[in-house]
Amino acid sequence: MNAVEMIGITKRFPGIVANDNIHLTVKKGEIHALLGENGAGKSTLMNILFGLYQPDEGEIRIHEKKVTITGPTMANKLGIGMVHQHFMLVQPFTVTENIILGDERTSSGFIDYKKAEQEIQKLSDQYGLKVNPRAKIADISVGMQQRVEILKTLYRGAEIIIFDEPTAVLTPQEIDELMAIMRNLVKEGKTIIFITHKLKEIMSVCDRVTIIRRGKVIDTVNVADTNENQLAALMVGREVSFEVIKEEAKPTRTVLEVKNLVVEDQRGVPVVNGLDLEVRAGEIVGIAGVDGNGQSELIEAITGLMPIKQGKISLNGKNVAHLKADKGTRARRITEAGVGHIPEDRHKRGLVLDFGINENMVLQNYYQSPFSKGWTIQYDEVNKYANRLIEEFDVRTPSHETLARSLSGGNQQKAIIAREIDRNPDLLIAAQPTRGLDVGAIEFIHRRIVEHRDKGKAVLLVSFELDEILKLSDRIAVIYEGKIIGWVDPKTTTEEELGLLMAGRAKKEGQ
Amino acid sequence: MKKRAWLSLLLSSVLVLAVGCSGQKGAEGGGDKAAGFKLGLVTDTGGLNDQSFNQISWEGAKRAQKELGVDIQPLESKRDDDYIPNLTKFAREKRDIIWATGFKFEKVIPEVAEQFPNVHFGIVDSNLGGKIPKNVVAVTFKEHEGSFLAGVAAALTTKTNKIGFIGGISSPLIKKFESGFRAGVKAANPKAQVTVAYAESFNDVTKGRSLAKNMYNSGIDVIYHAAGGVGKGLFDEVKTRDKGKYWAIGVDMDQSGLAPDHTLTSMVKRVDTAIFNITKDLKEKKLETGKEVQLGFKENALDLAKSQHLKPDVMKKIEEYKQKIINGEIKVPKTEAELASFK
Amino acid sequence: MSQLNKQSTIVTALISIFLGIVVGAIAMQLAGYNAITAYQALFQGSLFQAFDLGETIRTTTPLILAGLSVAIAFRTGLFNIGVEGQMIIAQLSALIVGIKLNLPPGLHAIVAVLVGGIAGALWAFLPGFLKAVRGVHEVIICIMMNFIALYLSNVLIRNWLTESGADSTPKISPNASLRVDFLSEMFDHSRIHLGIVIALLMAFVMYYLLWRTKLGYELRAVGYNPYAAEYAGMNVKRNIIVSMLISGFFAGLAGAGEVLGTHGYIAIQSAFTGIGFDGIAVALLGANTPIGVIFSALLFGVLTYGSQNMEHMAQVPPELIRVVVAAIIFFVAANISGKLLDVVKTKRRAKES
């Protein structure tokens, strides 16, 4: 029996066909992956299934009955639930309150919290979710919040659950746990549609996979009959290399030197606490560590976005720690001194989402010639420049005026990387440069970062993906509680060694 | 497809409006030439139902309609901005007399009058600083004289010898009330003291009430007000107090309806009589415009309202003073300076 | 894509206006008035004759400037609810220049207008400064500044600017007046004045500033995403202050226009005129774009001025027009039209399939 059939679905947006005559069949009780690059049309298709968009053509059958899904409420009634990439939870509410929000079952006019709580507890136990119904959302981890989203769909009686890139926000361990939960769900008779671009996850948990490229279905295959390389090729449309090809680093002079740096957060707690670091021209230094050990603050301090309590930061031998902002801000002075910064959160820092791509491309140098003349901005020059970068860095956008908001994550990231690399900075700081991106985009970005190194520039890489750190770095520094507690050589180290260091076991003791 | 649907919806709505507008225009054209004398009345921002000045003015217009067959129409001003358009609207309809109620119009009347030299305007409560255009008649009242009698009534009623006066915005006009009132008190009962307070507003009822409350609490037992809507607060307050012990005196019209058991009397400005009389004179072409018309007891334009609370001997005294004022024996002060030299 | 967004804003606005008018009509019918007659009177009374057209434009003038003032602050992520107070202070300052100085015609008016604009900007400086430096919410400061402005203005008028405690000031020198004969005559002696030229000019200035200059680029970046602006090395605090200064300047010009063009004097006010608050609605309906503000201000001007005639000719209380205005704002703010469009789309699809 088929749980979902989408037949000949076409959805057009101005300037783009997001879904082009798509056929998708999901059998009851399977985990069906929807694989595609960023912007391939996976999310659009699922939003259609969830009733958020209406298709221009085509029909949908749920449990072999033809339906028109007018909105999420209707989707819920049909037994379709969706776990969004960005959680839709009210932070100060408890788990129970969040789950019943919009589906409050009342007895004589009052919400029966007790009953709801019991029911949620029961569901949680049944599927092994281990969620405490009374906890406040603000107090629980991201992984736990995601399980609340899963519970939300179960509470509404979902039979078909759509997961929209669920692992993008999770730690490796949380990912393993999620995979187990998904298996449990299927065992209990649920059907899962799993949107992803991570091949490993597909191989480990899915039954079948439908590959979508540029709005069209390329193929549907049994996971048992395929492998990662084949899937990657189907998704990107060419052979993809998983290895980063790079030559031996030839480091020269010191570009960045950090000595005894102390940075305090808003509460006055030192989050970077006596950190030393050196990055030389022609090498990539990777910083490995568990999230929250001072990585973000280190970067913000180096780039002038956070005040420094104590210590020294020098760039090309010049101290910039207390650079006076006599003209513009400290951040600007440091940028001008030759620092490029790919920020960890592209939506928070990296882009003005409601600006066009053109305006975003000059975010760091709009005030310089030729982009500005007197007090005006020379939009002709800006557009010319933006078009060149769009071309060069393969940013897929209908035009240079398109709002950054409407691009896919991968293309947004490519735009940021284009902007930061094209200025040819002596030091490139790349924080989570490939978070949430597909293999094609990751390959592209990795190549660009290595190219930048090969031009004789320094690169500081921060990533929570051990894979990425190991592949790209020439040297790896492990950060723990605001200090570098050890340096390792990526060619000789193992994931185990790194893991121990990241957990705070200093190298000396370990050996 | 959908775009066209919306477009047609919008277009049709515009069409309805357009057709409607043109239809109205034809209908209105005929009215202009209708024979007869026409009156327009523009209120200040208080509106027609202010239970005070505007309302009583409108009474006069209605009397003119009833007795003289005059066509009448009011226009209420919502903001100060509206004065000129409203006056102009009537002027363009070539109304024979356009009344502007209140001194707030004194800046705009000359401007509009100059533009429409063939239309007559009347302004109540202002003499336009003495520069009255040819086609304007400025009606003022000898409020000081009426207030004098209110002062007499208060002075002869108080038990505590403490009397209050609440003014609206301090201006020469309201000073006239105050001076007359204090002179009246002084004349009838030299021992009585008058406390004066200004609300600096003509419509802040709450302010009026709190001023009244303070006065009564300090031992004052009779309060006279010349403060428009602020006065409502005075009546709200006095109502809550002992009957026969605390009194309020109203202004402009008989305000006893606001607190029947506590209203000693009211200083009635017969704005209605004034508007009626002058409209009548103008209709019968007996009036020369371009000058100030001052109205007082002689013209029956001022009086104290009849009231059961005024004792006969007090009434007698009031009548005596009234006669003295009419025959010129008493010259009631209009300003602070004149008050200082009064008697 | 961006093209589409722009279009849908216009469509949204038009639908909201239409729905607002319908709601007003229903309210009138329920209150026992003839809605058709009322709307006839409304539009006829505000547009069909030169005098009325002039007065409508006169009513529209400060609404445009107030709308621009709110809009430019919105663009930088600030809510300038203090337009009212900035107008009052500007009005007072322009009046003082108009009365106390003695300058040749033309120059006198220019000086008075500029002083008004600067006064408005300075009045807006404090909320901007406190927001930038101390993080105090600008709405709170602005509201308090409104009351300070109102009562300060009343005190100064009573005690300094009027002779013997009258309730309004003397008239400004004719040299400082913004009224010009040819405009007045063209519009049958209505009070239309050069403020409309200033307003339209400022709409262009706002467009040029925001979308053509470095400063505008920064202001918009700060408004959309202050974190990204900080990342780009912009001085976020300075931009907040500058935005409030410009916003206050526009508000100041609105106030100056009112006193130098419309009234020529100031009377003691016991309450706000409401033009500043209408400016918020104008900006909202105009989607914070200069051209949108001009048209929505015109609509508000027609409704405000025309409502007087509605009372005159159709005996409908002008308060009902506030119902229309409120309904329009409601429909825009709640994006009802967007939702309606969705429903229509879905229905049509359901029918086709």
Side-chain angles (χ1 to χ4, degrees):
Chain A
M1 179 159 161
N2 290 329
V4 178
E5 285 166 274
M6 299 182 83
I7 301 156
I9 300 289
T10 297
K11 176 76 186 173
R12 297 180 198 90
F13 292 115
I16 195 163
V17 183
N19 288 163
D20 186 358
N21 189 26
I22 283 191
H23 292 262
L24 173 72
T25 306
V26 181
K27 293 181 193 150
K28 190 167 161 35
E30 73 169 346
I31 303 182
H32 192 111
L34 215 50
L35 176 66
E37 290 184 274
N38 292 300
K42 307 172 301 236
S43 294
T44 306
L45 186 66
M46 286 303 107
N47 283 334
I48 288 171
L49 183 58
F50 198 54
L52 291 169
Y53 293 147
Q54 296 304 317
D56 297 327
E57 286 163 33
E59 70 173 68
I60 301 171
R61 291 184 196 167
I62 301 296
H63 297 307
E64 315 210 320
K65 253 177 45 204
K66 194 178 143 185
V67 292
T68 303
I69 304 172
T70 52
T73 323
M74 173 136 189
N76 281 334
K77 269 191 214 136
L78 291 167
I80 302 170
M82 186 148 172
V83 176
H84 295 272
Q85 191 174 2
H86 301 284
F87 304 147
M88 318 220 163
L89 297 170
V90 185
Q91 291 287 328
F93 275 20
T94 65
V95 169
T96 305
E97 285 167 331
N98 265 289
I99 289 174
I100 64 175
L101 192 65
D103 188 22
E104 301 88 349
R105 290 160 206 179
T106 54
S107 70
S108 57
F110 291 96
I111 297 173
D112 193 340
Y113 283 105
K114 256 239 169 74
K115 204 171 140 230
E117 230 170 71
Q118 284 164 1
E119 204 167 319
I120 290 162
Q121 189 69 59
K122 215 183 89 201
L123 283 171
S124 168
D125 293 345
Q126 186 184 353
Y127 296 98
L129 295 174
K130 296 182 194 140
V131 168
N132 173 11
R134 295 192 179 179
K136 280 216 171 77
I137 295 299
D139 299 336
I140 63 179
S141 71
V142 172
M144 210 46 107
Q145 291 184 19
Q146 187 171 59
R147 293 186 203 176
V148 175
E149 288 279 5
I150 298 173
L151 268 176
K152 223 158 118 181
T153 65
L154 294 172
Y155 184 77
R156 285 161 175 70
E159 288 301 317
I160 302 157
I161 304 174
I162 305 165
F163 284 85
D164 186 4
E165 307 212 359
T167 58
V169 290
L170 301 182
T171 64
Q173 206 196 353
E174 284 174 327
I175 292 174
D176 289 342
E177 286 168 12
L178 176 65
M179 298 293 139
I181 291 168
M182 287 166 82
R183 285 192 200 100
N184 276 341
L185 288 169
V186 174
K187 212 162 35 184
E188 300 282 333
K190 308 287 180 194
T191 306
I192 291 177
I193 302 178
F194 183 12
I195 306 179
T196 188
H197 50 245
K198 292 189 180 167
L199 304 168
K200 249 189 218 155
E201 291 161 10
I202 295 178
M203 297 310 291
S204 83
V205 76
C206 296
D207 301 307
R208 293 197 304 152
V209 49
T210 295
I211 300 108
I212 297 180
R213 190 165 75 222
R214 300 207 175 182
K216 289 190 178 127
V217 170
I218 300 303
D219 202 357
T220 298
V221 294
N222 285 322
V223 170
D225 305 336
T226 184
N227 59 45
E228 283 191 40
N229 282 334
Q230 193 196 345
L231 284 179
L234 283 171
M235 169 167 86
V236 183
R238 59 183 160 83
E239 287 299 320
V240 180
S241 131
F242 288 97
E243 291 308 310
V244 175
I245 301 145
K246 62 175 178 121
E247 291 167 20
E248 191 69 25
K250 301 177 199 76
T252 55
R253 67 199 164 85
T254 302
V255 173
L256 172 73
E257 193 181 13
V258 178
K259 274 236 170 86
N260 192 30
L261 181 71
V262 178
V263 180
E264 288 180 351
D265 67 7
Q266 281 164 333
R267 292 163 300 170
V269 178
V271 273
V272 175
N273 200 355
L275 183 140
D276 296 317
L277 184 68
E278 188 199 22
V279 186
R280 291 166 297 177
E283 71 169 352
I284 298 173
V285 170
I287 293 188
V290 178
D291 191 6
N293 274 290
Q295 295 97 319
S296 309
E297 291 80 5
L298 170 64
I299 291 173
E300 301 240 306
I302 296 174
T303 51
L305 293 169
M306 235 180 151
I308 292 159
K309 184 78 188 164
Q310 187 187 314
K312 195 180 129 191
I313 300 174
S314 30
L315 258 179
N316 291 327
K318 200 178 142 210
N319 186 7
V320 294
H322 298 287
L323 201 61
K324 265 273 174 277
D326 54 335
K327 201 175 161 222
T329 57
R330 200 164 80 87
R332 176 162 295 174
R333 296 297 304 278
I334 287 170
T335 304
E336 285 172 350
V339 175
H341 176 197
I342 300 164
E344 59 176 352
D345 187 337
R346 56 178 167 262
H347 288 178
K348 186 184 171 195
R349 292 260 192 223
L351 293 167
V352 178
L353 289 173
D354 293 296
F355 269 6
I357 294 299
N358 51 353
E359 290 186 306
N360 269 300
M361 284 296 194
V362 293
L363 202 54
Q364 300 277 28
N365 46 15
Y366 65 93
Y367 58 93
Q368 290 168 339
S369 178
F371 307 124
S372 102
K373 202 160 140 198
W375 62 68
T376 62
I377 297 230
Q378 302 298 106
Y379 276 91
D380 289 347
E381 292 294 333
V382 171
N383 293 343
K384 222 159 62 187
Y385 180 69
N387 282 333
R388 200 195 88 210
L389 291 189
I390 288 169
E391 183 92 355
E392 234 170 80
F393 285 78
D394 190 29
V395 182
R396 291 186 201 151
T397 168
S399 93
H400 60 250
E401 277 186 352
T402 305
L403 296 188
R405 181 179 294 288
S406 50
L407 293 195
S408 69
N411 284 311
Q412 290 175 345
Q413 190 71 359
K414 279 189 198 166
I416 294 174
I417 284 162
R419 178 181 73 210
E420 296 307 313
I421 287 185
D422 194 73
R423 287 188 298 113
N424 201 21
D426 289 341
L427 171 68
L428 176 69
I429 299 175
Q432 316 287 358
T434 60
R435 175 145 75 176
L437 304 190
D438 58 66
V439 284
I442 291 173
E443 186 199 18
F444 178 87
I445 287 166
H446 284 174
R447 213 173 56 226
R448 286 293 186 163
I449 289 176
V450 172
E451 267 174 33
H452 195 66
R453 178 201 77 165
D454 291 345
K455 274 192 281 180
K457 307 293 181 183
V459 177
L460 179 63
L461 170 76
V462 175
S463 176
F464 303 139
E465 308 256 354
L466 272 188
D467 248 17
E468 183 166 53
I469 292 272
L470 285 167
K471 272 187 215 160
L472 273 181
S473 310
D474 299 312
R475 293 195 297 148
I476 298 173
V478 181
I479 191 169
Y480 180 74
E481 291 189 341
K483 277 194 184 79
I484 301 295
I485 59 159
W487 289 85
V488 295
D489 183 344
K491 284 194 288 293
T492 56
T493 190
T494 59
E495 291 209 14
E496 287 68 39
E497 189 194 10
L498 263 178
L500 281 172
L501 278 171
M502 283 162 64
R505 304 257 191 92
K507 207 174 175 186
K508 275 176 256 157
E509 294 160 27
Q511 283 173 336
Chain B
M1 180 72 167
K2 66 192 168 227
K3 214 180 260 172
R4 215 183 307 151
W6 280 107
L7 204 64
S8 57
L9 193 62
L10 281 170
L11 272 179
S12 54
S13 64
V14 170
L15 213 64
V16 167
L17 287 170
V19 169
C21 292
S22 53
Q24 173 71 17
K25 205 176 178 202
E28 211 241 346
D32 271 354
K33 291 244 150 62
F37 194 86
K38 291 193 293 182
L39 172 152
L41 184 136
V42 181
T43 75
D44 66 15
T45 49
L48 272 182
N49 298 312
D50 63 349
Q51 312 228 346
S52 181
F53 208 77
N54 291 313
Q55 193 169 352
I56 198 171
S57 304
W58 186 233
E59 293 298 327
K62 282 200 281 201
R63 196 177 143 205
Q65 180 186 36
K66 216 193 285 166
E67 293 181 18
L68 310 172
V70 169
D71 174 76
I72 63 171
Q73 179 136 47
L75 269 177
E76 292 183 288
S77 304
K78 296 295 167 213
R79 295 176 179 176
D80 292 353
D81 281 3
D82 298 335
Y83 296 153
I84 287 194
N86 284 345
L87 291 169
T88 307
K89 229 167 251 163
F90 281 144
R92 280 204 319 236
E93 291 176 10
K94 300 207 173 54
R95 291 199 171 253
D96 301 274
I97 173 86
I98 297 160
W99 285 102
T101 63
F103 64 90
K104 282 189 166 184
F105 287 87
E106 68 184 1
K107 287 260 172 16
V108 298
I109 279 282
E111 204 173 309
V112 183
E114 189 193 1
Q115 253 179 59
F116 296 93
N118 300 322
V119 178
H120 288 118
F121 294 88
I123 180 166
V124 184
D125 261 4
S126 168
N127 66 357
L128 303 179
K131 283 175 240 153
I132 303 167
K134 270 221 158 56
N135 53 337
V136 174
V137 53
V139 181
T140 57
F141 292 87
K142 300 172 181 163
E143 288 96 351
H144 47 300
E145 296 183 1
S147 299
F148 185 93
L149 291 195
V152 172
L156 297 177
T157 306
T158 177
K159 296 276 189 322
T160 58
N161 278 342
K162 286 182 179 172
I163 293 167
F165 173 82
I166 296 175
I169 291 175
S170 48
S171 59
L173 174 65
I174 304 299
K175 283 281 175 201
K176 242 159 101 181
F177 284 86
E178 184 200 324
S179 308
F181 181 69
R182 286 167 66 182
V185 172
K186 203 168 162 187
N189 182 355
K191 274 183 289 178
Q193 281 184 350
V194 181
T195 306
V196 174
Y198 279 85
E200 298 307 349
S201 160
F202 280 115
N203 42 29
D204 189 344
V205 179
T206 324
K207 185 86 180 277
R209 181 157 187 179
S210 76
L211 286 176
K213 188 179 219 155
N214 288 340
M215 285 185 172
Y216 286 131
N217 286 347
S218 72
I220 287 168
D221 59 352
V222 187
I223 301 175
Y224 173 49
H225 86 91
V230 173
K232 280 181 195 164
L234 165 64
F235 289 96
D236 288 346
E237 178 59 30
V238 76
K239 259 195 297 203
T240 67
R241 294 179 174 259
D242 293 346
K243 270 187 227 172
K245 218 172 148 194
Y246 293 97
W247 299 105
I249 301 176
V251 79
D252 288 353
M253 61 197 288
D254 185 357
Q255 293 186 306
S256 60
L258 292 172
D261 296 326
H262 295 85
T263 308
L264 185 61
T265 179
S266 300
M267 198 286 276
V268 180
K269 260 160 88 173
R270 302 303 300 265
V271 184
D272 50 345
T273 311
I275 286 190
F276 176 80
N277 284 345
I278 290 174
T279 305
K280 187 171 175 227
D281 287 354
L282 200 69
K283 185 170 182 262
E284 291 162 3
K285 300 204 164 50
K286 282 196 289 200
L287 184 85
E288 216 183 298
T289 53
K291 56 173 195 168
E292 178 179 2
V293 180
Q294 285 194 48
L295 302 175
F297 292 123
K298 217 187 289 174
E299 294 82 10
N300 264 331
L302 283 178
D303 209 349
L304 283 194
K306 297 272 171 297
S307 167
Q308 54 183 21
H309 301 306
L310 287 174
K311 294 187 188 112
D313 54 322
V314 177
M315 281 301 294
K316 224 180 96 197
K317 274 273 198 219
I318 291 173
E319 202 50 47
E320 280 173 30
Y321 278 110
K322 189 171 166 183
Q323 286 313 316
K324 282 184 189 170
I325 294 169
I326 291 175
N327 60 33
E329 244 176 273
I330 295 178
K331 209 165 171 310
V332 181
K334 274 188 285 215
T335 63
E336 204 112 4
E338 286 177 29
L339 176 66
S341 57
F342 177 69
K343 271 188 194 162
Chain C
M1 199 72 172
S2 61
Q3 201 66 27
L4 182 90
N5 286 341
K6 269 178 215 156
Q7 272 173 6
S8 61
T9 313
I10 293 171
V11 172
T12 306
L14 288 178
I15 294 172
S16 301
I17 292 165
F18 176 74
L19 289 175
I21 287 175
V22 169
V23 166
I26 293 170
M28 287 175 204
Q29 293 292 355
L30 287 180
Y33 301 103
N34 183 340
I36 302 272
T37 324
Y39 282 125
Q40 280 166 2
L42 176 80
F43 288 103
Q44 186 186 338
S46 52
L47 299 171
F48 280 24
Q49 291 190 33
F51 176 86
D52 293 320
L53 193 57
E55 281 291 318
T56 299
I57 293 171
R58 190 267 306 161
T59 313
T60 303
T61 304
L63 287 172
I64 295 177
L65 286 164
L68 292 177
S69 169
V70 175
I72 198 160
F74 264 144
R75 286 274 172 193
T76 318
L78 297 166
F79 188 16
N80 183 5
I81 199 170
V83 173
E84 196 75 43
Q86 290 142 26
M87 279 179 67
I88 291 174
I89 287 301
Q91 200 164 299
L92 192 68
S93 313
L95 177 97
I96 291 169
V97 171
I99 291 178
K100 304 276 179 192
L101 290 191
N102 200 357
L103 295 169
L107 180 69
H108 199 167
I110 292 170
V111 170
V113 166
L114 284 178
V115 165
I118 290 165
L122 290 179
W123 203 250
F125 171 78
L126 190 65
F129 177 78
L130 288 175
K131 165 88 173 185
V133 177
R134 307 293 317 163
V136 188
H137 204 289
E138 72 277 10
V139 166
I140 297 164
I141 305 293
C142 279
I143 290 175
M144 294 196 289
M145 299 279 286
N146 282 348
F147 283 99
I148 297 173
L150 177 66
Y151 293 118
L152 180 68
S153 161
N154 282 353
V155 166
L156 287 184
I157 292 171
R158 169 113 8 87
N159 297 326
W160 181 43
L161 291 167
T162 54
E163 61 273 323
S164 68
D167 88 320
S168 61
T169 68
K171 287 215 163 195
I172 52 161
S173 147
N175 290 356
S177 175
L178 283 178
R179 279 198 229 173
V180 284
D181 289 343
F182 85 92
L183 262 184
S184 305
E185 268 154 37
M186 198 190 322
F187 290 97
D188 200 6
H189 296 284
S190 69
R191 286 173 294 168
I192 185 172
H193 53 84
L194 287 178
I196 185 65
V197 179
I198 297 175
L200 295 176
L201 190 68
M202 286 305 126
F204 177 76
V205 166
M206 173 172 161
Y207 162 76
Y208 185 84
L209 184 78
L210 279 180
W211 283 281
R212 285 290 166 262
T213 69
K214 269 193 292 195
L215 176 64
Y217 179 88
E218 291 193 7
L219 290 176
R220 284 184 299 130
V222 169
Y224 283 134
N225 187 346
Y227 298 105
E230 196 185 4
Y231 161 84
M234 297 171 191
N235 190 333
V236 174
K237 290 175 179 176
R238 199 194 64 191
N239 275 297
I240 285 175
I241 295 175
V242 168
S243 167
M244 278 308 274
L245 284 176
I246 298 170
S247 174
F249 184 75
F250 287 164
L253 293 182
E258 283 295 272
V259 72
L260 301 174
T262 303
H263 298 293
Y265 68 96
I266 317 180
I268 284 170
Q269 297 286 337
S270 51
F272 297 112
T273 58
I275 293 172
F277 302 126
D278 279 351
I280 297 167
V282 166
L284 183 69
L285 184 62
N288 298 322
T289 59
I291 192 84
V293 163
I294 292 174
F295 281 106
S296 67
L298 185 62
L299 175 77
F300 276 68
V302 168
L303 291 178
T304 307
Y305 180 72
S307 66
Q308 284 294 318
N309 196 55
M310 203 173 77
E311 182 192 23
H312 180 46
M313 284 170 56
Q315 279 73 50
V316 178
E319 281 81 3
L320 274 169
I321 276 304
R322 299 310 290 184
V323 173
V324 175
V325 170
I328 292 172
I329 305 299
F330 172 78
F331 287 123
V332 173
N335 193 16
I336 298 288
S337 56
K339 283 177 187 131
L340 273 179
L341 280 173
D342 282 351
V343 170
V344 170
K345 266 190 239 169
T346 314
K347 285 260 170 65
R348 177 165 302 139
R349 230 196 82 70
K351 229 180 273 167
E352 279 167 6
S353 59

